[in-house]
Amino acid sequence: MRSSLTTFLILIGSFVIVANVYPLLFSSDLPAGRFTLLETPRQVPETAFFDGAGKPVFLKDFEGAYLVVNVWATWCEPCREEMPALDQLTRNLGNRNIRVLPISIDTTGAGNIESFYRLHKLTDLPVYLDPSQNTMRTLNVFGIPTTVLIDPDGREIGRMVGPAQWDSDESLEQLSEILGS
């Protein structure tokens, strides 16, 4: 029990340290969001998370659409840097068959995420959260931010680890190629 607690505290401490030291070590210019595409798509097991009202949401609820699943947290500096670009990406995608799902692993509740959105003037991103971090485990996410691209059949077809400028021309061009539009 004691070693599990120690391991947990080291893991959480590492996340906090990396999240706060990252901006000091790296340029504030984010790279374009470019998914590393898988040669063979991987079926994603079902996972549940919650919307801003506390209602359970499942990946299968978005069946038939491409999903840009971004796992993030309000305390993660690189995550905070990329959120405005994800918000803009949501607007840029318009009525295409693709949804941006920012899933926060914060344990402080939807109100904290909503406050973060207001503070940073994020108007088009939905509020989703998974304080249990089950989505991280299901998607094999080992650090945040990580963005996973899921096809309409529920298969992972690509991912990008780290923050990105998701609304850049290069990012939009790759997504258009993937969508065939």
Side-chain angles (χ1 to χ4, degrees):
M1 178 72 171
R2 178 177 246 173
S3 68
S4 295
L5 179 60
T6 302
T7 302
F8 176 75
L9 291 173
I10 289 171
L11 181 63
I12 294 300
S14 297
F15 273 130
V16 171
I17 290 169
V18 168
N20 289 303
V21 171
Y22 179 91
L24 303 174
L25 298 176
F26 300 100
S27 164
S28 62
D29 293 335
L30 296 177
R34 297 253 343 141
F35 290 103
T36 300
L37 299 176
L38 302 177
E39 287 185 30
T40 304
R42 178 183 79 87
Q43 191 64 44
V44 176
E46 188 54 68
T47 187
F49 45 97
F50 300 94
D51 67 13
K55 177 183 164 204
V57 180
F58 301 88
L59 289 177
K60 69 180 177 189
D61 294 340
F62 304 97
E63 194 171 71
Y66 284 91
L67 304 177
V68 175
V69 180
N70 179 269
V71 182
W72 73 289
T74 59
W75 48 262
C76 165
E77 182 64 32
C79 301
R80 293 193 309 236
E81 287 180 35
E82 78 173 349
M83 293 307 283
L86 277 171
D87 191 52
Q88 184 61 47
L89 176 64
T90 302
R91 285 188 292 279
N92 290 347
L93 293 173
N95 293 328
R96 293 185 185 179
N97 189 32
I98 187 166
R99 300 280 307 270
V100 176
L101 304 180
I103 302 175
S104 171
I105 61 168
D106 281 270
T107 58
T108 53
N112 185 46
I113 297 164
E114 290 165 353
S115 294
F116 176 87
Y117 281 12
R118 280 191 303 277
L119 178 67
H120 296 282
K121 297 176 176 56
L122 306 175
T123 58
D124 291 292
L125 289 175
V127 173
Y128 294 116
L129 65 154
D130 182 6
S132 71
Q133 300 180 6
N134 186 49
T135 303
M136 278 185 75
R137 288 185 291 279
T138 301
L139 296 176
N140 296 316
V141 170
F142 297 104
I144 58 173
T146 295
T147 306
V148 178
L149 182 61
I150 300 174
D151 74 8
D153 296 321
R155 302 174 306 172
E156 177 182 342
I157 58 173
R159 74 173 46 214
M160 180 171 175
V161 177
Q165 193 65 43
W166 290 107
D167 60 341
S168 72
D169 290 341
E170 186 179 339
S171 302
L172 293 169
E173 184 178 303
Q174 186 195 35
L175 281 172
S176 290
E177 287 173 15
I178 292 168
L179 294 170
S181 59

